[in-house]
Every structure is written in structure tokens, then in C-alpha cells.
Amino acid sequence: MTVSTAYPADAEGVCVITVDHPPVNALPVQGWYELADAVRAAGRDPEVRCVVLAAAGRGFNAGVDIKELQRDPGNAALIAVNRGCAEAFDAVYACEVPVVAAVRGFCLGGGIGLVGNADAIVASEDAVFGLPELDRGALGAATHLARLVPQHLMRTLYFTARTVTAAELLAHGSVWRVVPTAELLDAALELAAEIARKDGHLLRLAKAALNGIDPVDVRRSYRFEQGFTFEASLAGTAGRVRDTFGKEA
């Protein structure tokens, strides 16, 4: 698991946090906590005025490490990853400065939790977004998908486990720009640098103010969803569905 932090010389006040966990950035419990720690540290840094959340490899994020859950005969791993995801999502939402998500390739499951809590999204032309939770024996992150698309589309995507493209999200106004993959980081840095040119104190006040007027408490809402994931696990449904992972025809 690798979470790296960089400060581009040509983007003053910007911190780039990059996740690199091959093969598909499906994070284990430790990974979610490492990501949360990196985002929180960047937000506390008085020199940072904007964070870019990026990923290396084949895609932005494929959610949780299903195999880690499959290796646990009980519920300890599920409880741990539920808490880890909540920590990472909250770190992005509560980060003292704006967070720009740079999304390429797939953004699934937990990836939706991250970008749904970000302040702005720049995406590559090949980016796709979705929640395959019902195909993975889980529930959650509808809270965050609802921040990206209208209510009825969110429900249809959730029930079908279908994905939407970056272009479709652009049409809904939840993605700032869609660019060729090779230009993604530059485009995200351009937006982050524009934000970072504002007064740092005012930016922090603005972030707190915008969070304060949100119509939905994303922390409480997401944890409410997670309770149903645990119920599905206790009922045996989650494990039965999860065991089909990797065996689909």
C-alpha cells in the first residue's frame, strides 16, 4: 500500500496525494486509514490551500479489498473496513481546505465515497463512476452518489450497479472538466492552483461554511447505510453474494 504526498513547484499551496495500490486500487483496511491520515495532515498544514487527490495505476479506486473480507470467517474485517472507509471519506469532507479529485479509469464503491465528498472533480475521458455494492454483498455510499447525480438516477444506478461516464456527470454539473487521460493531472493542478491563489484563511472559513450549510449530514447518513451492510452480513446474505465475486460468468 502506498500513499504519497507531493508539493508541485509550479502550483504553490497545492498538495497532491496519490494512492498506488496495485492492481486496481482496491484498498485494504490499512489503506483507508493511511489515506485518511494523509488528507488530514495536508489539511492541517498552514502552507496548503488546496489538496489534489489522485491515483496511479489502472484506475482511481475500485473500492474495498473484497478478498480481505473473504479471508475473514467472522465480522472483524467488515467492521474494520466500515470504519476505515468512514474515516477516509470524512477526512476528505472535513479537510480544512478544498479537495480536488483527479479521476481516471474506474471510480467504484469506495471511490464514489471519496469523490462524492470532494469539493471538485476533474475527470479523464475514460473515467466511469458507479456503485457495484449490490453485486458485492454490501450497501453504502448512496449518500455520496446522491451528491453527483439526481435522486432517481442515483437509485437506478444503485439498484442496477450500472456506471455513468465522466461526460454524463459533466452534463449533470458534478464534474468540472473532462480531459484526455494524459492531461488529467495538469488539469486538476490548474484548478487547484487557481483555488490556492485565494487567501488561505478565507478558504478555510469558506470550506467550513459550505459544509455547515449542506442539506445532508454525510457522516451520519453514510454510517446509517453501513448499518444495513452489517445486517446483511449477520443474515448471511452479504457473504453469499460476496462469495460470487471473481466468479461471474
Side-chain angles (χ1 to χ4, degrees), residues 55 82 174:
N82 275 359
S174 48

Side-chain angles (χ1 to χ4, degrees), residues 2 5 11 19 52 64 77 86 118-119 130 137 141 150 174 189 201 210 219 224 246:
T2 300
T5 301
V19 176
V52 172
V64 305
D119 297 284
S174 48
L189 285 173
H201 183 220
L210 291 178
R219 299 179 179 95
F224 177 82

